[in-house]
Amino acid sequence: MNQNQPKFNYGEALQKSNLFYLAQRSGDLPDDYVIPWRDDSAVNDGADVNRDLSGGYYDAGDHVKFGFPMAASMTMLSWGVIEYSEGYEKVGQLDDTLENIRWGTDYILKAYDDKGTATTSDDVFWGQVGDGQKDHAYWGAPEDMTMSRPSFKVDAQNPGSDLTAESAAALASASIAFRSTDAAYADKLLEKAKGLYRFAEQHRGVYSDSISNAGSFYNSWSGYQDELAWGAVWLHKAIQASGETDSQYLDKAQSYYKGIDSGWTHNWDEKSYGTAILLAQLTDKSQYKQDVEAWLDNWVNPNDGIQKTDGGLAWLSQWGSLRYTANTAFLAGVYGDTVNDKQGKYTEFSENQINYILGDNPNNFSYMVGFGENYPQNPHHRAASGTTNISDSDSNEYTLYGALVGGPSAANDDAYQDRRTDYIANEVALDYNAAFTGALARMTDEFGGEALTEIPGINLDGIADSNPIDPITGSVDNSDTGNNPIDPITTGGNPDTPNEAIDNVVFSLVNQWNNGFTAKVKITNNSNEVVNDWELELNTPFEIKEIWNGSIESHQGNEYLITDVGWNASIAPGSSLEFGFNGIKSDAITEQDIINQISFSSDSLPISE
């Protein structure tokens, strides 16, 4: 990776991309949901077929749940976590990203009805909720919908191998992303991924032939062979990540791989590009590397191949042009970082394209809503518009933070207008932000950044770990701890002379670098009464730099009084809460010093001694 100075706060951009996925959620929203202009919606999805199909994500500026691009987006989000987890961790966004993935994979699990039998002949996968035509005739918030929302399926008689194999890829890739933090969930995802892939392979057909309503919106132009290769390669990687050995899925992936067209790129429909990169990583075969590099060179070389604007944007096609650019930028970064970078030109291309999108362009215009000083005010999005009239002359009432708009409709830096009615250049979608999010995580991994403590109109107290973490601009010292949490401690003081035996306050180190670290404190109320307005005194061998989900009421030297932040003032019996902070330590203080010397006391918490 090159070491140029960062042009933007990539941590903020990554944080806001996560907020976009929150704004797209359907169903029964969690109690700590942070976007005030969204509420529960479509909670009865699936009632027409007597199955709970609530949850998941609305596709774009509309309210249809299209299963094919939703699954493709979850796969790409998971790939970003797998490749650049350190980038997410550096800016406190890993947990939020995993929760966004889980919101999608939980829905995919609901959508797959395998009947619990050994055969796939009775399997059903619910691939869409909502009639695209009826939905697109309505302009309003999802909370106010009254139209019918029919459910559409694929099964053995009406197959959809592309849809089900992509859904298998989503579950398999997510199982890798969750493997280190929730092994039971990862195992469940992998088991269901195997079943979905078997279903896809044994009953072959194009999903948009079976769900004709999807054909006008997400027709499967490339067929299903690319998804069979893509699903197989992710299953191979997921099985490896679980600690088992596998060869059958890798063999399948290679047999289904059909090569790539260097004049196009990876997207919700065509998966051969990502498959080629994964196969190059796994096998080191020249076939895959040659295919990938011929394609990337066509994008990267300035004087031929994919069109370039005067400002440097690689432009492929008018409908959602930046989606293709962001997808290629992510894949170019992954390939350059893990296989071959050709004197740095692939990663340089990746960084330049992301910077263009964020505002390093002739118009100094950010194509990410809510990022920078100059960004779209009117993305084509029913809920964010705050109106029932698409042609309303007022700007959108709500800021759809983090959404990547479609972008220039021609290979011209000026071929974009911020018009709500322009769904070609100004709509947003799950798949637009998916690889883009991973590319932003790569940028935070490379350049650092910090998430914001305040965003107008957003209650950040509701999101765990979305407050700022110091940008780590140098290399992280992982010689002792890696990036895995250190075993939590429940005692303080000199290990030879035990201090207070604290059984309900747990301190744990999450990450550590040269002169600082990120830590969490978990408080559990083990009494029989509600704890209100809690306070906790910390006596530490370090300085607390930033804190989230808690407030520093006072401190003298390294003695800190930590209090609640209002919304978490009460702790019910048997319940827990967490707050976190960044600590700054001198070189003389070791990891063991931190663990040995920290101590807790409280007048409001029943800490036993």
Side-chain angles (χ1 to χ4, degrees):
M1 295 183 182
N2 76 59
Q3 297 299 320
N4 295 330
Q5 290 301 307
K7 297 190 176 193
F8 300 100
N9 180 1
Y10 303 112
E12 176 192 348
L14 182 56
Q15 176 188 30
K16 288 179 174 176
S17 194
N18 271 332
L19 286 176
F20 167 68
Y21 283 99
L22 284 177
Q24 294 300 106
R25 288 189 179 186
S26 177
D28 185 2
L29 302 179
D31 293 339
D32 60 355
Y33 191 72
V34 303
I35 299 176
W37 47 271
R38 285 296 328 283
D39 205 342
D40 298 348
S41 61
V43 294
N44 294 319
D45 277 359
D48 60 319
V49 293
N50 296 315
R51 187 168 183 84
D52 177 12
L53 296 176
S54 62
Y57 288 102
Y58 298 125
D59 175 62
D62 58 357
H63 310 313
V64 183
K65 295 193 298 201
F66 289 109
F68 193 33
M70 188 194 305
S73 300
M74 295 306 104
T75 307
M76 297 307 288
L77 281 178
S78 295
W79 195 2
V81 168
I82 292 164
E83 296 288 352
Y84 300 113
S85 61
E86 289 185 17
Y88 288 99
E89 289 175 343
K90 285 181 180 180
V91 293
Q93 289 297 300
L94 181 57
D95 288 349
D96 295 336
T97 306
L98 288 173
E99 283 305 305
N100 283 339
I101 294 169
R102 188 189 292 263
W103 194 265
T105 52
D106 280 352
Y107 176 78
I108 293 172
L109 292 174
K110 283 184 176 184
Y112 182 34
D113 182 7
D114 64 359
K115 300 293 194 298
T117 63
T119 179
T120 62
S121 61
D122 57 358
D123 284 7
V124 172
F125 188 80
W126 296 97
Q128 180 178 325
V129 179
D131 182 310
Q133 305 294 344
K134 292 180 180 178
D135 181 275
H136 286 199
Y138 164 76
W139 190 271
E143 294 80 5
D144 300 327
M145 290 186 295
T146 59
M147 82 284 284
S148 63
R149 290 176 59 79
S151 306
F152 300 90
K153 68 178 179 179
V154 297
D155 54 25
Q157 291 72 42
N158 304 282
S161 300
D162 31 21
L163 168 65
T164 47
E166 176 59 75
S167 298
L171 298 185
S173 58
S175 77
I176 304 172
F178 281 101
R179 177 61 58 188
S180 63
T181 58
D182 192 340
Y185 188 61
D187 287 342
K188 181 179 182 180
L189 293 173
L190 179 54
E191 176 191 0
K192 294 298 182 181
K194 291 177 181 178
L196 264 172
Y197 189 84
R198 189 164 56 250
F199 180 34
E201 197 174 28
Q202 292 179 356
H203 305 284
R204 300 192 186 190
V206 174
Y207 97 100
S208 48
D209 290 342
S210 299
I211 304 178
S212 59
N213 192 266
S216 299
F217 307 95
Y218 289 100
N219 190 68
S220 182
W221 302 105
S222 68
Y224 56 77
Q225 186 172 329
D226 54 318
E227 278 81 24
L228 288 177
W230 177 242
V233 75
W234 277 116
L235 274 164
H236 172 76
K237 286 175 66 69
I239 290 169
Q240 278 191 327
S242 73
E244 299 179 10
T245 57
D246 160 72
S247 61
Q248 64 163 321
Y249 288 107
L250 183 59
D251 292 341
K252 287 177 184 290
Q254 294 185 87
S255 68
Y256 287 127
Y257 174 71
K258 59 183 182 181
I260 53 181
D261 175 2
S262 62
W264 199 246
T265 197
H266 193 98
N267 60 83
W268 58 265
D269 179 37
E270 175 57 79
K271 315 298 164 44
S272 299
Y273 302 87
T275 301
I277 290 177
L278 294 173
L279 289 174
Q281 289 177 339
L282 289 165
T283 70
D284 201 38
K285 289 182 178 179
S286 59
Q287 171 193 358
Y288 307 120
K289 292 190 284 189
Q290 289 170 1
D291 284 356
V292 171
E293 291 174 25
W295 157 61
L296 286 179
D297 288 346
N298 204 40
W299 274 80
V300 170
N301 292 341
N303 298 320
D304 54 23
I306 301 301
Q307 297 181 79
K308 313 297 189 302
T309 67
D310 291 342
L313 173 68
W315 188 94
L316 177 65
S317 181
Q318 72 169 161
W319 198 308
S321 62
L322 294 180
R323 156 257 310 266
Y324 300 115
T325 306
N327 289 356
T328 310
F330 172 69
L331 267 65
V334 170
Y335 187 81
D337 291 338
T338 62
V339 183
N340 182 28
D341 201 12
K342 281 197 173 179
Q343 294 78 50
K345 76 174 186 177
Y346 295 148
T347 54
E348 182 182 12
F349 168 84
S350 176
E351 291 160 11
N352 288 342
Q353 297 304 302
I354 296 303
N355 283 333
Y356 183 103
I357 291 171
L358 294 179
D360 185 20
N361 54 58
N363 298 311
N364 296 314
F365 184 83
S366 166
Y367 291 94
M368 171 183 262
V369 178
F371 183 83
E373 299 296 324
N374 187 18
Y375 55 80
Q377 304 295 314
N378 297 289
H380 180 91
H381 191 272
R382 290 155 176 77
S385 73
T387 180
T388 57
N389 178 12
I390 188 175
S391 300
D392 193 319
S393 59
D394 290 339
S395 294
N396 284 6
E397 183 174 354
Y398 308 112
T399 303
L400 186 64
Y401 286 106
L404 175 64
V405 297
S409 57
N412 184 320
D413 297 305
D414 297 320
Y416 169 83
Q417 294 184 26
D418 182 17
R419 295 186 303 196
R420 184 187 300 132
T421 54
D422 188 350
Y423 47 81
I424 291 176
N426 217 29
E427 192 163 16
V428 301
L430 296 178
D431 71 293
Y432 289 15
N433 269 72
F436 181 53
T437 306
L440 291 172
R442 183 187 179 278
M443 298 297 270
T444 64
D445 192 23
E446 167 69 359
F447 298 111
E450 52 189 336
L452 303 184
T453 57
E454 295 182 357
I455 297 176
I458 302 294
N459 175 20
L460 285 181
D461 288 337
I463 302 182
D465 293 332
S466 64
N467 289 267
I469 291 179
D470 275 350
I472 306 169
T473 55
S475 60
V476 178
D477 180 4
N478 293 323
S479 57
D480 294 323
T481 65
N483 284 311
N484 296 316
I486 296 171
D487 288 339
I489 62 163
T490 56
T491 59
N494 188 307
D496 297 325
T497 57
N499 196 1
E500 300 152 333
I502 303 166
D503 65 1
N504 64 345
V505 180
V506 177
F507 170 87
S508 59
L509 288 174
V510 178
N511 195 11
Q512 194 170 193
W513 57 96
N514 291 338
N515 64 342
F517 59 90
T518 299
K520 291 183 180 180
V521 176
K522 182 177 182 180
I523 302 172
T524 302
N525 179 8
N526 289 327
S527 72
N528 295 320
E529 298 180 357
V530 175
V531 171
N532 290 308
D533 302 322
W534 58 268
E535 296 181 347
L536 188 66
E537 296 176 5
L538 270 70
N539 193 340
T540 72
F542 49 77
E543 175 188 358
I544 294 179
K545 184 69 173 175
E546 286 101 8
I547 188 169
W548 51 95
N549 297 342
S551 175
I552 300 176
E553 182 72 15
S554 64
H555 76 92
Q556 183 175 6
N558 287 337
E559 295 182 0
Y560 293 85
L561 177 62
I562 310 298
T563 63
D564 64 79
V565 289
W567 63 269
N568 62 356
S570 298
I571 314 175
S575 296
S576 303
L577 61 82
E578 286 187 343
F579 67 87
F581 59 85
N582 289 335
I584 302 299
K585 60 185 177 64
S586 70
D587 294 338
I589 297 178
T590 67
E591 170 193 317
Q592 196 60 47
D593 288 331
I594 297 171
I595 294 176
N596 290 345
Q597 296 177 30
I598 190 171
S599 62
F600 306 91
S601 63
S602 175
D603 292 331
S604 64
L605 292 170
I607 298 177
S608 60
E609 298 187 13

Coordinates of all heavy atoms in Angstrom, one line a residue, residues 333-389:
G333 N -8.4 -3.3 -5.0 CA -7.7 -3.3 -3.8 C -7.4 -4.6 -3.2 O -6.3 -4.9 -2.7
V334 N -8.4 -5.5 -3.2 CA -8.2 -6.9 -2.7 C -7.1 -7.6 -3.4 O -6.2 -8.2 -2.9 CB -9.6 -7.6 -2.7 CG1 -9.3 -9.1 -2.4 CG2 -10.5 -7.0 -1.7
Y335 N -7.2 -7.6 -4.8 CA -6.3 -8.3 -5.6 C -4.9 -7.7 -5.4 O -3.9 -8.5 -5.2 CB -6.7 -8.2 -7.1 CG -5.8 -9.1 -8.0 CD1 -6.1 -10.4 -8.1 CD2 -4.8 -8.5 -8.7 CE1 -5.3 -11.3 -8.9 CE2 -4.0 -9.3 -9.5 CZ -4.2 -10.7 -9.6 OH -3.4 -11.5 -10.4
G336 N -4.8 -6.4 -5.4 CA -3.4 -5.8 -5.2 C -2.8 -6.1 -3.8 O -1.6 -6.3 -3.7
D337 N -3.7 -6.2 -2.8 CA -3.2 -6.5 -1.5 C -2.8 -7.9 -1.3 O -2.0 -8.2 -0.4 CB -4.2 -6.1 -0.4 CG -4.4 -4.6 -0.3 OD1 -3.5 -3.8 -0.7 OD2 -5.5 -4.1 0.1
T338 N -3.5 -8.8 -2.0 CA -3.4 -10.3 -1.6 C -2.7 -11.1 -2.7 O -2.3 -12.2 -2.4 CB -4.7 -10.9 -1.3 OG1 -5.6 -10.8 -2.5 CG2 -5.4 -10.1 -0.1
V339 N -2.7 -10.6 -4.0 CA -2.2 -11.5 -5.1 C -1.0 -10.8 -5.8 O 0.1 -11.2 -5.7 CB -3.3 -11.9 -6.1 CG1 -2.7 -12.8 -7.1 CG2 -4.4 -12.6 -5.3
N340 N -1.3 -9.7 -6.5 CA -0.3 -9.0 -7.3 C -0.8 -7.6 -7.5 O -1.9 -7.3 -7.9 CB -0.1 -9.7 -8.6 CG 1.0 -9.0 -9.4 OD1 1.9 -8.4 -8.9 ND2 1.0 -9.1 -10.7
D341 N 0.1 -6.6 -7.2 CA -0.2 -5.2 -7.3 C 0.4 -4.5 -8.5 O 0.1 -3.3 -8.7 CB 0.1 -4.5 -6.0 CG -0.6 -3.2 -5.8 OD1 -1.6 -3.0 -6.6 OD2 -0.3 -2.4 -4.9
K342 N 1.2 -5.1 -9.3 CA 1.8 -4.5 -10.5 C 2.4 -3.1 -10.2 O 1.9 -2.1 -10.7 CB 0.8 -4.4 -11.6 CG 0.7 -5.7 -12.4 CD 0.0 -5.5 -13.7 CE 0.0 -6.8 -14.6 NZ -0.7 -6.6 -15.9
Q343 N 3.4 -3.1 -9.3 CA 4.1 -1.9 -8.9 C 3.1 -0.9 -8.3 O 3.2 0.4 -8.4 CB 4.8 -1.2 -10.1 CG 6.0 -2.0 -10.7 CD 5.6 -3.1 -11.5 OE1 4.8 -3.0 -12.4 NE2 6.1 -4.3 -11.3
G344 N 2.1 -1.4 -7.6 CA 1.2 -0.5 -6.9 C 0.1 0.1 -7.7 O -0.7 0.9 -7.1
K345 N -0.1 -0.3 -8.9 CA -1.1 0.4 -9.8 C -2.5 0.0 -9.4 O -3.4 0.9 -9.6 CB -0.8 0.3 -11.2 CG -1.1 -1.0 -11.9 CD -0.9 -0.9 -13.4 CE -1.3 -2.2 -14.1 NZ -1.2 -2.0 -15.6
Y346 N -2.7 -1.2 -9.0 CA -4.1 -1.6 -8.7 C -4.6 -0.9 -7.4 O -5.8 -0.4 -7.3 CB -4.2 -3.1 -8.5 CG -3.9 -3.8 -9.8 CD1 -3.4 -5.1 -9.8 CD2 -4.2 -3.3 -11.1 CE1 -3.1 -5.8 -11.0 CE2 -4.0 -4.0 -12.3 CZ -3.4 -5.2 -12.2 OH -3.1 -5.9 -13.4
T347 N -3.8 -0.9 -6.4 CA -4.2 -0.2 -5.1 C -4.3 1.3 -5.3 O -5.1 1.9 -4.7 CB -3.3 -0.6 -4.0 OG1 -1.9 -0.3 -4.3 CG2 -3.4 -2.1 -3.6
E348 N -3.4 1.8 -6.1 CA -3.5 3.3 -6.4 C -4.8 3.6 -7.1 O -5.5 4.6 -6.8 CB -2.3 3.7 -7.2 CG -2.3 5.2 -7.5 CD -1.1 5.6 -8.4 OE1 -0.4 4.8 -9.0 OE2 -0.9 6.9 -8.5
F349 N -5.2 2.8 -8.1 CA -6.4 3.0 -8.8 C -7.6 2.9 -7.8 O -8.5 3.8 -7.8 CB -6.6 1.9 -9.8 CG -8.0 1.8 -10.4 CD1 -8.4 2.7 -11.4 CD2 -8.9 0.9 -9.9 CE1 -9.7 2.6 -12.0 CE2 -10.2 0.8 -10.5 CZ -10.6 1.6 -11.5
S350 N -7.6 1.9 -6.9 CA -8.6 1.8 -5.9 C -8.8 3.0 -5.1 O -9.9 3.6 -4.9 CB -8.3 0.5 -5.0 OG -9.3 0.4 -4.0
E351 N -7.7 3.5 -4.6 CA -7.7 4.7 -3.7 C -8.1 5.9 -4.5 O -8.9 6.7 -3.9 CB -6.3 4.9 -3.1 CG -6.0 3.8 -2.1 CD -4.5 3.7 -1.8 OE1 -3.7 4.6 -2.2 OE2 -4.1 2.7 -1.1
N352 N -7.7 6.1 -5.7 CA -8.1 7.3 -6.5 C -9.6 7.3 -6.8 O -10.2 8.4 -6.7 CB -7.3 7.3 -7.8 CG -5.8 7.7 -7.6 OD1 -5.4 8.2 -6.5 ND2 -5.0 7.4 -8.5
Q353 N -10.1 6.1 -7.1 CA -11.5 6.1 -7.4 C -12.4 6.4 -6.1 O -13.4 7.1 -6.2 CB -11.9 4.7 -8.0 CG -11.2 4.4 -9.3 CD -11.5 5.5 -10.3 OE1 -12.6 5.8 -10.7 NE2 -10.4 6.1 -10.9
I354 N -12.0 5.8 -5.0 CA -12.8 6.1 -3.8 C -12.6 7.6 -3.4 O -13.6 8.2 -3.0 CB -12.3 5.2 -2.6 CG1 -12.5 3.7 -2.9 CG2 -12.9 5.6 -1.3 CD1 -14.0 3.4 -3.2
N355 N -11.5 8.1 -3.6 CA -11.3 9.6 -3.3 C -12.1 10.4 -4.2 O -12.7 11.4 -3.8 CB -9.8 10.0 -3.4 CG -9.0 9.5 -2.2 OD1 -9.6 9.4 -1.1 ND2 -7.8 9.3 -2.4
Y356 N -12.2 10.0 -5.5 CA -13.1 10.8 -6.5 C -14.5 10.8 -5.9 O -15.2 11.8 -5.9 CB -13.0 10.1 -7.8 CG -13.8 10.9 -8.9 CD1 -13.2 11.7 -9.8 CD2 -15.2 10.8 -9.0 CE1 -13.9 12.4 -10.8 CE2 -15.9 11.4 -9.9 CZ -15.3 12.3 -10.8 OH -16.0 13.0 -11.8
I357 N -15.0 9.6 -5.6 CA -16.4 9.5 -5.1 C -16.6 10.4 -3.9 O -17.7 11.0 -3.7 CB -16.7 8.0 -4.8 CG1 -16.8 7.2 -6.1 CG2 -18.0 7.9 -4.0 CD1 -16.9 5.7 -5.9
L358 N -15.7 10.4 -3.0 CA -15.8 11.2 -1.7 C -15.6 12.7 -1.9 O -15.9 13.5 -1.0 CB -14.9 10.7 -0.7 CG -15.1 9.3 -0.2 CD1 -14.1 8.9 0.9 CD2 -16.5 9.1 0.4
G359 N -15.2 13.1 -3.1 CA -15.1 14.6 -3.3 C -13.9 15.1 -4.0 O -13.7 16.3 -4.2
D360 N -12.9 14.2 -4.2 CA -11.7 14.6 -4.9 C -11.9 14.6 -6.4 O -11.4 13.7 -7.1 CB -10.5 13.7 -4.5 CG -9.2 14.2 -5.1 OD1 -9.1 15.3 -5.4 OD2 -8.2 13.3 -5.2
N361 N -12.7 15.5 -6.9 CA -13.0 15.6 -8.3 C -13.2 17.1 -8.7 O -13.1 18.0 -7.8 CB -14.3 14.8 -8.5 CG -15.5 15.3 -7.6 OD1 -15.9 16.4 -7.6 ND2 -16.0 14.3 -6.8
P362 N -13.3 17.4 -10.0 CA -13.3 18.8 -10.4 C -14.4 19.6 -9.8 O -14.2 20.9 -9.7 CB -13.5 18.7 -11.9 CG -12.9 17.3 -12.3 CD -13.2 16.5 -11.1
N363 N -15.5 19.0 -9.3 CA -16.6 19.8 -8.7 C -16.5 19.8 -7.2 O -17.4 20.4 -6.6 CB -17.9 19.2 -9.2 CG -18.1 19.3 -10.7 OD1 -17.9 20.4 -11.3 ND2 -18.4 18.2 -11.3
N364 N -15.5 19.2 -6.6 CA -15.4 19.1 -5.2 C -16.7 18.6 -4.6 O -17.2 19.1 -3.6 CB -15.0 20.4 -4.5 CG -13.6 20.8 -4.9 OD1 -12.7 20.0 -4.9 ND2 -13.4 22.1 -5.3
F365 N -17.3 17.6 -5.2 CA -18.6 17.1 -4.9 C -18.6 15.7 -4.4 O -18.0 14.8 -5.0 CB -19.6 17.2 -6.1 CG -21.0 16.8 -5.8 CD1 -21.9 17.7 -5.3 CD2 -21.5 15.5 -6.1 CE1 -23.2 17.4 -5.0 CE2 -22.8 15.2 -5.8 CZ -23.7 16.1 -5.3
S366 N -19.1 15.5 -3.2 CA -19.2 14.1 -2.6 C -20.4 13.4 -3.1 O -21.5 14.0 -2.9 CB -19.2 14.2 -1.1 OG -19.5 12.9 -0.5
Y367 N -20.3 12.2 -3.6 CA -21.4 11.4 -4.1 C -22.0 10.6 -2.9 O -22.9 9.8 -3.2 CB -21.1 10.6 -5.3 CG -20.8 11.4 -6.5 CD1 -19.5 11.8 -6.9 CD2 -21.9 11.8 -7.3 CE1 -19.3 12.6 -8.0 CE2 -21.7 12.6 -8.4 CZ -20.4 13.0 -8.8 OH -20.2 13.8 -9.9
M368 N -21.4 10.7 -1.7 CA -22.0 10.1 -0.5 C -22.8 11.1 0.2 O -22.4 12.1 0.6 CB -20.9 9.5 0.4 CG -21.4 9.0 1.7 SD -20.1 8.5 2.8 CE -20.1 6.7 2.5
V369 N -24.1 10.8 0.4 CA -25.0 11.7 1.0 C -24.6 11.9 2.5 O -24.2 11.0 3.2 CB -26.5 11.1 1.0 CG1 -27.4 12.1 1.8 CG2 -26.9 10.9 -0.4
G370 N -24.5 13.2 2.9 CA -24.2 13.6 4.2 C -22.7 13.6 4.5 O -22.3 13.7 5.7
F371 N -21.8 13.4 3.5 CA -20.4 13.4 3.7 C -19.8 14.6 3.0 O -20.0 14.8 1.8 CB -19.8 12.1 3.2 CG -18.3 12.0 3.5 CD1 -17.8 11.6 4.7 CD2 -17.4 12.4 2.5 CE1 -16.5 11.5 4.9 CE2 -16.0 12.3 2.7 CZ -15.6 11.8 4.0
G372 N -19.0 15.4 3.7 CA -18.3 16.5 3.1 C -19.2 17.8 3.2 O -20.3 17.8 3.8
E373 N -18.8 18.8 2.5 CA -19.5 20.1 2.5 C -20.6 20.2 1.4 O -21.5 20.9 1.5 CB -18.6 21.3 2.4 CG -17.6 21.3 3.6 CD -18.3 21.6 4.9 OE1 -19.3 22.4 4.9 OE2 -17.8 21.1 5.9
N374 N -20.3 19.4 0.3 CA -21.2 19.5 -0.9 C -21.6 18.1 -1.3 O -20.7 17.3 -1.8 CB -20.3 20.2 -2.0 CG -21.1 20.5 -3.2 OD1 -22.4 20.6 -3.2 ND2 -20.4 20.8 -4.3
Y375 N -22.8 17.8 -1.1 CA -23.3 16.4 -1.4 C -24.7 16.4 -1.8 O -25.4 17.4 -1.7 CB -23.1 15.5 -0.2 CG -23.7 16.0 1.1 CD1 -25.1 15.8 1.3 CD2 -23.0 16.7 2.1 CE1 -25.7 16.3 2.5 CE2 -23.6 17.2 3.2 CZ -25.0 17.0 3.4 OH -25.6 17.5 4.5
P376 N -25.3 15.3 -2.3 CA -26.6 15.3 -2.8 C -27.7 15.6 -1.7 O -27.6 15.0 -0.6 CB -26.8 13.8 -3.3 CG -25.4 13.4 -3.6 CD -24.6 14.0 -2.6
Q377 N -28.6 16.4 -2.0 CA -29.7 16.8 -1.1 C -31.0 16.0 -1.4 O -31.9 16.0 -0.6 CB -29.9 18.3 -1.2 CG -28.7 19.2 -0.9 CD -28.2 19.0 0.5 OE1 -29.0 19.0 1.5 NE2 -26.9 18.8 0.6
N378 N -31.1 15.5 -2.6 CA -32.3 14.9 -3.1 C -32.2 13.5 -3.7 O -32.6 13.3 -4.8 CB -32.9 15.8 -4.1 CG -33.3 17.2 -3.6 OD1 -34.2 17.3 -2.8 ND2 -32.5 18.2 -3.9
P379 N -31.5 12.6 -3.0 CA -31.4 11.2 -3.6 C -32.9 10.7 -3.8 O -33.8 11.0 -3.0 CB -30.7 10.5 -2.5 CG -30.9 11.2 -1.3 CD -30.9 12.7 -1.7
H380 N -33.0 9.9 -4.8 CA -34.3 9.2 -5.1 C -34.6 8.2 -4.1 O -34.2 7.0 -4.2 CB -34.2 8.6 -6.5 CG -35.4 7.9 -7.0 ND1 -36.4 8.6 -7.7 CD2 -35.9 6.7 -6.9 CE1 -37.4 7.8 -8.0 NE2 -37.1 6.6 -7.5
H381 N -35.3 8.6 -3.0 CA -35.5 7.7 -1.9 C -36.8 8.1 -1.2 O -36.9 9.3 -0.6 CB -34.4 7.8 -0.9 CG -34.4 6.7 0.2 ND1 -35.0 6.9 1.4 CD2 -33.8 5.5 0.2 CE1 -34.9 5.8 2.1 NE2 -34.1 4.9 1.4
R382 N -37.8 7.3 -1.2 CA -39.1 7.7 -0.7 C -39.1 8.1 0.7 O -39.7 9.1 1.1 CB -40.1 6.5 -1.0 CG -40.4 6.3 -2.4 CD -40.9 4.8 -2.7 NE -41.3 4.6 -4.1 CZ -40.4 4.4 -5.1 NH1 -39.1 4.5 -4.9 NH2 -40.9 4.2 -6.3
A383 N -38.5 7.3 1.6 CA -38.6 7.6 3.0 C -37.8 8.9 3.4 O -38.3 9.7 4.1 CB -38.0 6.4 3.8
A384 N -36.6 9.0 2.8 CA -35.8 10.2 3.1 C -36.5 11.5 2.5 O -36.2 12.6 3.1 CB -34.4 10.0 2.6
S385 N -37.3 11.4 1.5 CA -37.8 12.6 0.9 C -38.8 13.3 1.8 O -38.9 14.5 1.8 CB -38.5 12.2 -0.4 OG -39.8 11.6 -0.2
G386 N -39.5 12.5 2.7 CA -40.4 13.1 3.6 C -41.6 13.7 3.0 O -42.4 14.5 3.6
T387 N -41.9 13.3 1.7 CA -43.1 13.8 1.0 C -43.8 12.6 0.3 O -43.2 11.6 0.1 CB -42.6 14.8 0.0 OG1 -43.8 15.3 -0.7 CG2 -41.6 14.2 -1.0
T388 N -45.0 12.9 -0.1 CA -45.8 11.9 -0.9 C -45.8 12.3 -2.3 O -46.5 11.7 -3.1 CB -47.2 11.8 -0.3 OG1 -47.9 13.1 -0.3 CG2 -47.2 11.2 1.1
N389 N -45.1 13.4 -2.7 CA -45.0 13.9 -4.0 C -43.6 13.9 -4.5 O -42.8 14.7 -4.1 CB -45.6 15.3 -4.1 CG -45.6 15.9 -5.5 OD1 -45.3 15.2 -6.5 ND2 -45.8 17.2 -5.6

